[in-house]
């Protein structure tokens, strides 16, 4: 304690020293202290003003605008998550990709006709029909579904190379412009070597949720 | 306003106050000499320095401005006590028209003693500790003192020093007198310091032993040393050179003999620093005709002019500690002052920047408030758009990755290719199981061969299927071969075969 007091006294003497006048009176010492005290007091006042009034006021305004700032941030995040160019690109690709799907189940019949014609072209006689009463309905968020189709194939009269022509026809199925998957193939040959085939197909189609919900 | 101007102004104000007080208190009796009211003094030029030589009763003063003497004055009366000094000082200040505050004192006084000390050749710090112990013992026996040591020469492995000791009471009295006149005493030097300075400037060869005799009021100072080298010793003869030249001559001769005996140093030239050379014949007579006496006309004011040239940081300054403290304090104060104002400037600058930043933030917040509705709409649009993009991307992925490979036709084609000669298929079935995502197959057929050959052929076909890109795996449970009843019209053996399994298993 005594040492602290001595230190403070020494510090006071240093701060208030009047050169050439070690025992200058207190009034003059205080005047010598003014140039040092003024900036310190000013700094203290500025700090006090800042902490006691300025910062709380700024903080209050920031808090009041917090929901708006959060909204602005959300908008920025949404913009950053997907850029406009990416949105356009994805939309274009979706349209292009969707072209291999039937836009609606009604388009199935022309497709089946086309398949029959293709079979005829390969010297096979084909009959196709849609399997009704699909056991599982597509989920509500699904954007596409598969229409199951069953078909029977028999070689046309005069088809001397039924096996190669069948293979060629099946290959055409998988490379068709529309999405057609061959999910089952059963091929039988009788005692005389006559071939008959059964196929199960699934044709991809877009889902119309309005209709589904109806 | 500069620091100097400010202090000058403060001192002038204080002078005016002192004057007013002295007028008001003239009726009160003076208690002590140091309480004598000083006459008003104009204080303005703080860079001026006052030099006072108080040499055994003789007082001389000179004012200096940038080491050049502007005025000088010598007291005609004897100054013995501090009271005398105080009275004479006022007159000196008046005569010199001194307006500064800094002052140095060349002092020779009966209370200011110079003791010769011999110490073993310690390190500097050990020597200082030794001397400190000596001084402490001296202080216990007498009183507190200001002291400083001056190294002279090393004789027979012993360091010789002169210990200059000034009683603290004398210094306090002197300082009090000076403080009331706003004089800052920065140096107290013994006469030997300017004397040694002059000794080193004597035009003789380096390390030539010389003796310097200086008139010092009612006494005479003698210093023996080598030019440009260490001082051998110094002494004060309490006899006036001009009045008692014969006695001084005897003492100088004794000093010469002492130098010869103690330091083995034959001095053959005496430098007499006095106002005139009238006494040189007497000295010649006492010191021997072989000694050459050279007179250097010197007045006490010359000692002051020599002293002003000596650095204020000279080690033989009784107030060197005070000077160091003063310099340190000035540095601390200056640093604090600079730090304070710089800090304030920095703080203001930072606040201004913060205020600017806050103003722009406020403008932004206001603008944000104005477009809050459109922001909400934008958010909804963007959220919807992003959901759509996500759905479309999922759709693209589903379409691109969901298409089944043409396994049935490929498997049929492969089997047709590897079917051994004499074998034919009767039933072929490939099915995609959507739940397990597995292609399963079943093959029935006939082969015209004996059982062993048929088994080999069918196993070979299976191996080819397993190693093919279709990666077929066969069920163990399925029977491979079944013997078929032989047709009576046919002479060869026919075996039925049947196997099943999965392909492209993940």
């Amino acid at each position: 304690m005594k040492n602290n007091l001595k230190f403070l006294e020494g510090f006071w003497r240093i701060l208030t020293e009047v050169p050439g006048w070690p025992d200058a009176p207190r009034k003059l010492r205080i005047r010598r202290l003014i140039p040092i005290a003024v900036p310190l007091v000013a700094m203290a006042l500025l700090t006090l003003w800042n902490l006691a009034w300025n910062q709380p006021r700024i903080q209050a305004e920031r808090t009041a605008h917090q929901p708006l700032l959060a909204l602005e941030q959300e908008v920025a995040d949404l913009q950053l998550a997907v850029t406009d160019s990416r949105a356009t690109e994805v939309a274009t690709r979706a349209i292009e990709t969707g072209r291999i799907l039937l836009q609606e189940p009604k388009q199935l019949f022309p497709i089946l006709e086309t398949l029959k014609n293709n079979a005829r072209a390969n010297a096979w006689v084909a009959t196709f029909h849609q399997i009704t009463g699909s056991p599982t309905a597509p989920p509500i968020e699904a954007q596409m579904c598969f229409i199951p189709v069953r078909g029977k194939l028999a070689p046309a009269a005069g088809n001397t190379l039924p096996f190669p022509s069948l293979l060629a026809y099946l290959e055409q199925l998988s490379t068709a412009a529309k999405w057609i998957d061959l999910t089952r193939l059963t091929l039988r040959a009788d005692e005389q070597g006559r071939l008959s085939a059964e196929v199960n197909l699934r044709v991809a189609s877009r889902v119309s949720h309005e209709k589904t919900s109806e | 306003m500069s620091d100097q101007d400010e202090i000058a102004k403060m001192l002038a104000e204080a002078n005016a106050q002192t004057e007013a007080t002295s007028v008001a208190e003239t009726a009160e009796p003076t208690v002590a000499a140091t309480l004598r009211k000083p006459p008003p003094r104009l204080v303005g030029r703080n860079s001026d320095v006052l030099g006072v030589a108080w040499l055994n009763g003789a007082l001389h003063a000179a004012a200096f401005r940038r080491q050049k003497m502007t005025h000088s004055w010598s007291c005609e009366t004897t100054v013995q006590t501090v009271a005398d000094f105080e009275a004479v000082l006022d007159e000196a200040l008046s005569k010199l028209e001194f307006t500064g505050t800094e002052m140095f004192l060349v002092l020779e006084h009966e209370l200011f003693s110079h003791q010769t000390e011999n110490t073993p050749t310690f390190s500097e710090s050990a020597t200082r500790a030794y001397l400190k112990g000596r001084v402490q013992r001296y202080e216990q026996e007498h009183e507190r003192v200001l002291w400083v040591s001056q190294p002279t020469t090393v004789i027979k492995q012993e360091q010789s020093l002169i210990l200059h000791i000034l009683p603290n009471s004398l210094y306090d009295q002197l300082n009090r007198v000076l403080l009331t006149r706003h004089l800052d005493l920065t140096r107290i030097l013994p006469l030997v310091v300017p004397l040694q300075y002059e000794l080193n400037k004597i035009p003789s060869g380096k390390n030539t032993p010389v003796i310097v005799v200086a008139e010092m009021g009612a006494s005479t100072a003698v210093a023996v040393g080598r030019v440009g080298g260490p001082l051998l010793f110094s002494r004060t003869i309490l006899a006036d050179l001009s009045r008692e030249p014969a006695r001084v001559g005897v003492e100088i001769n004794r000093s010469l003999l002492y130098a010869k005996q103690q330091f083995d140093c034959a001095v053959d030239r005496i430098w007499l620093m006095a106002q005139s050379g009238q006494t040189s014949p007497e000295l010649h007579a006492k010191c021997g005709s072989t000694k050459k006496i050279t007179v250097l006309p010197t007045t006490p004011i010359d000692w002051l002019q020599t002293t002003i040239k000596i650095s204020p940081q000279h080690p033989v300054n009784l107030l060197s500690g005070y000077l160091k403290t003063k310099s340190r304090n000035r540095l601390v104060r200056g640093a604090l002052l600079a730090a304070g104002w710089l800090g304030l400037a920095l703080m203001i600058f930072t606040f201004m920047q913060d205020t600017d930043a806050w103003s722009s933030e406020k403008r932004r917040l206001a603008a944000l408030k104005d477009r809050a509705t459109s922001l909400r709409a934008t958010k909804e649009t963007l959220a919807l758009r992003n959901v759509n993009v996500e759905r479309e991307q999922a759709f693209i992925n589903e379409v691109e990755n969901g298409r089944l490979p043409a396994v049935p036709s490929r498997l049929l084609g492969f089997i047709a290719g590897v079917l051994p000669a004499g074998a034919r298929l009767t039933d072929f079935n490939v099915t995609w199981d959507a739940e397990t995502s597995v292609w399963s197959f079943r093959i029935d057929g006939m082969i015209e061969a004996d059982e062993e050959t048929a088994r080999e052929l069918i196993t070979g076909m299976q191996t080819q299927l397993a190693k093919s890109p279709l990666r077929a795996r066969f069920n163990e449970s399925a029977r491979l071969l079944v013997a078929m009843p032989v047709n009576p019209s046919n002479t060869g053996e026919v075996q039925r075969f049947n196997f099943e399994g999965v392909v492209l298993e993940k």
Side-chain angles (χ1 to χ4, degrees):
Chain A
M1 185 68 182
K2 200 176 173 183
N3 284 341
N4 286 347
L5 283 175
K6 270 189 178 176
F7 174 77
L8 287 175
E9 191 187 345
F11 200 60
W12 162 257
R13 286 191 177 282
I14 290 171
L15 293 184
T16 62
E17 184 188 31
V18 181
W21 200 353
D23 63 345
R26 184 183 293 266
K27 192 179 164 186
L28 291 182
R29 281 185 172 275
I30 289 170
R31 275 182 63 177
R32 282 284 287 169
L33 184 65
I34 287 172
I36 295 174
V38 164
L40 295 178
V41 170
M43 279 196 281
L45 288 175
L46 267 174
T47 308
L48 197 68
W49 167 79
N50 189 37
L51 292 178
W53 190 79
N54 192 33
Q55 285 301 330
R57 181 177 60 90
I58 290 172
Q59 204 54 45
E61 285 210 38
R62 280 187 183 144
T63 309
H65 287 86
Q66 193 55 44
L68 278 177
L69 288 169
L71 179 65
E72 190 190 34
Q73 187 59 44
E74 278 178 47
V75 169
D77 288 347
L78 286 169
Q79 280 172 335
L80 276 177
V82 180
T83 60
D84 288 341
S85 60
R86 172 146 176 76
T88 314
E89 182 198 342
V90 170
T92 312
R93 275 187 64 200
I95 290 166
E96 283 174 7
T97 311
R99 287 204 180 112
I100 65 167
L101 270 62
L102 305 183
Q103 297 309 305
E104 53 181 349
K106 280 180 190 170
Q107 290 180 348
L108 179 67
F109 301 104
I111 294 294
L112 294 182
E113 275 307 307
T114 309
L115 291 180
K116 274 185 196 174
N117 294 337
N118 286 349
R120 198 174 298 123
N122 284 286
W124 279 78
V125 178
T127 54
F128 292 102
H129 63 271
Q130 184 184 350
I131 302 170
T132 52
S134 175
T136 51
I140 196 78
E141 70 275 11
Q143 300 177 70
M144 55 177 281
C145 65
F146 293 106
I147 304 168
V149 172
R150 181 172 292 161
K152 285 188 179 178
L153 293 153
N159 185 354
T160 52
L161 293 169
F163 191 74
S165 60
L166 177 67
L167 279 180
Y169 176 64
L170 293 177
E171 202 60 34
Q172 282 174 7
L173 280 179
S174 61
T175 55
K178 294 295 177 185
W179 180 352
I180 299 168
D181 288 333
L182 181 59
T183 56
R184 187 177 75 88
L185 169 65
T186 302
L187 186 67
R188 288 196 183 87
D190 60 12
E191 292 293 325
Q192 284 74 38
R194 284 194 295 268
L195 290 176
S196 67
E198 278 182 23
V199 289
N200 276 26
L201 306 173
R202 62 176 195 182
V203 183
S205 169
R206 273 194 176 277
V207 172
S208 172
H209 287 292
E210 289 78 10
K211 286 186 179 177
T212 311
S213 60
E214 279 169 13
Chain B
M1 187 188 283
S2 71
D3 208 32
Q4 295 275 332
D5 294 339
E6 188 201 343
I7 293 160
K9 193 182 165 197
M10 285 164 72
L11 289 173
E13 283 175 12
N15 267 338
Q17 281 180 355
T18 311
E19 192 180 357
T21 315
S22 66
V23 170
E25 293 176 356
T26 41
E28 290 180 17
T30 307
V31 178
T34 51
L35 293 179
R36 182 179 181 272
K37 295 296 172 195
R41 186 167 77 86
L42 185 66
V43 180
R45 289 193 172 274
N46 218 43
S47 59
D48 287 3
V49 179
L50 174 68
V52 174
W54 187 14
L55 306 170
N56 290 322
L59 192 138
H60 311 274
F64 297 92
R65 185 171 298 162
R66 293 189 188 88
Q67 296 201 345
K68 285 195 175 174
M69 192 171 75
T70 54
H71 297 85
S72 66
W73 177 80
S74 294
C75 179
E76 290 171 359
T77 57
T78 309
V79 180
Q80 292 295 350
T81 63
V82 176
D84 296 342
F85 177 84
E86 186 178 17
V88 168
L89 183 66
D90 287 332
E91 193 180 347
L93 289 170
S94 164
K95 297 281 186 195
L96 296 174
E97 298 171 9
F98 182 69
T99 55
T101 56
E102 191 182 336
M103 175 189 164
F104 69 84
L105 178 64
V106 180
L107 182 66
E108 286 301 331
H109 192 272
E110 58 185 357
L111 296 174
F112 187 21
S113 61
H114 316 288
Q115 297 178 5
T116 302
E117 287 287 338
N118 291 322
T119 66
T121 46
F122 294 140
S123 66
E124 198 176 323
S125 58
T127 306
R128 184 155 183 82
Y130 170 80
L131 291 173
K132 206 172 174 180
R134 291 297 303 261
V135 170
Q136 278 171 350
R137 281 199 295 281
Y138 181 91
E139 283 180 333
Q140 283 167 4
E141 289 169 14
H142 299 89
E143 59 175 321
R144 287 189 62 225
V145 294
L146 288 176
W147 66 278
V148 68
S149 66
Q150 182 181 10
T152 53
T153 188
V154 178
I155 324 162
K156 295 169 189 168
Q157 303 296 319
E158 280 197 332
Q159 171 71 58
S160 185
L161 300 129
I162 303 173
L163 205 58
H164 304 283
I165 298 173
L166 178 72
N168 224 47
S169 56
L170 178 61
Y171 167 71
D172 285 343
Q173 286 177 47
L174 279 171
N175 200 34
R176 194 175 293 267
V177 166
L178 299 175
L179 287 177
T180 52
R181 285 151 184 86
H182 313 310
L183 290 169
D184 185 21
L185 184 58
T186 57
R187 280 177 279 174
I188 298 178
L189 300 165
L191 183 66
V192 72
V193 173
L195 206 59
Q196 190 183 8
Y197 184 85
E198 289 299 332
L199 187 150
N200 284 329
K201 285 173 69 181
I202 282 172
S204 293
K206 199 176 178 190
N207 283 327
T208 308
V210 289
I211 182 164
V212 177
V213 179
E215 198 175 18
M216 196 171 66
S219 58
T220 307
V222 175
V224 183
R226 294 180 187 277
V227 176
L231 196 68
L232 298 179
F233 69 91
S234 72
R235 59 185 293 231
T236 303
I237 303 164
L238 295 175
D240 191 339
L241 179 64
S242 53
R243 289 181 189 166
E244 301 169 275
R247 192 182 152 198
V248 172
V250 169
E251 291 298 328
I252 291 170
N253 194 40
R254 286 177 66 187
S255 298
L256 291 170
L257 293 172
Y258 180 79
K260 175 83 177 164
Q261 186 190 3
Q262 291 293 319
F263 303 102
D264 196 20
C265 176
V267 181
D268 55 4
R269 195 158 182 179
I270 300 167
W271 294 82
L272 183 61
M273 293 182 166
Q275 296 191 41
S276 71
Q278 290 173 352
T279 54
S280 56
E282 293 249 16
L283 296 180
H284 218 277
K286 296 293 178 189
C287 297
S289 55
T290 55
K291 306 295 177 194
K292 192 178 174 186
I293 297 176
T294 308
V295 179
L296 293 170
T298 309
T299 63
I301 297 295
D302 292 333
W303 295 120
L304 291 174
Q305 286 189 296
T306 302
T307 308
I308 195 77
K309 291 173 197 163
I310 295 169
S311 162
Q313 276 77 41
H314 194 279
V316 191
N317 175 11
L318 285 155
L319 301 178
S320 59
Y322 167 71
L323 275 181
K324 280 180 192 164
T325 309
K326 191 176 154 184
S327 165
R328 189 197 63 201
N329 289 356
R330 192 169 292 175
L331 194 72
V332 169
R333 192 186 143 82
L336 273 171
L337 200 64
W341 284 105
L342 274 174
L344 181 62
L346 195 68
M347 206 171 197
I348 289 171
F349 179 68
T350 311
F351 272 134
M352 282 169 70
Q353 277 194 327
D354 288 352
T355 308
D356 276 355
W358 172 237
S359 299
S360 50
E361 191 180 338
K362 255 171 84 174
R363 281 196 296 276
R364 198 172 73 84
L365 289 176
L368 201 63
K369 204 172 178 179
D370 291 344
R371 60 188 185 94
T373 316
S374 70
L375 263 179
R376 283 193 194 95
T378 309
K379 184 196 161 189
E380 281 172 18
T381 311
L382 284 172
L384 195 63
R385 184 198 70 169
N386 288 6
V387 168
N388 281 338
V389 167
E390 206 175 313
R391 282 186 69 234
E392 282 166 347
Q393 186 61 55
F395 170 69
I396 292 166
N397 291 343
E398 197 176 352
V399 171
E400 284 180 349
N401 304 321
R403 199 157 183 176
L404 291 177
V407 170
S409 57
R410 302 279 160 81
L411 183 61
L412 185 61
F414 189 83
I415 285 173
V418 298
L419 202 63
R424 67 185 180 91
L425 298 180
T426 54
D427 200 350
F428 173 84
N429 185 287
V430 186
T431 310
W432 165 250
D433 185 353
E435 285 182 8
T436 56
S437 300
V438 167
W439 288 99
S440 56
F441 65 90
R442 188 174 183 282
I443 297 168
D444 290 334
M446 290 190 295
I447 186 164
E448 289 179 14
D450 57 55
E451 187 181 345
E452 193 178 341
T453 310
R455 191 175 295 280
E456 275 178 20
L457 290 170
I458 297 304
T459 307
M461 190 172 75
Q462 281 185 322
T463 308
Q464 280 181 305
L465 265 170
K467 288 180 179 174
S468 72
L470 292 161
R471 301 193 308 275
R473 188 173 60 78
F474 302 95
N475 293 347
E476 299 287 336
S477 58
R479 282 187 299 173
L480 188 63
L481 285 175
V482 177
M484 199 177 157
V486 180
N487 194 333
S489 61
N490 202 340
T491 54
E493 279 184 273
V494 176
Q495 309 290 331
R496 273 186 186 278
F497 67 86
N498 155 281
F499 54 86
E500 59 186 45
V502 293
V503 289
L504 292 177
E505 196 178 37
K506 286 178 185 173

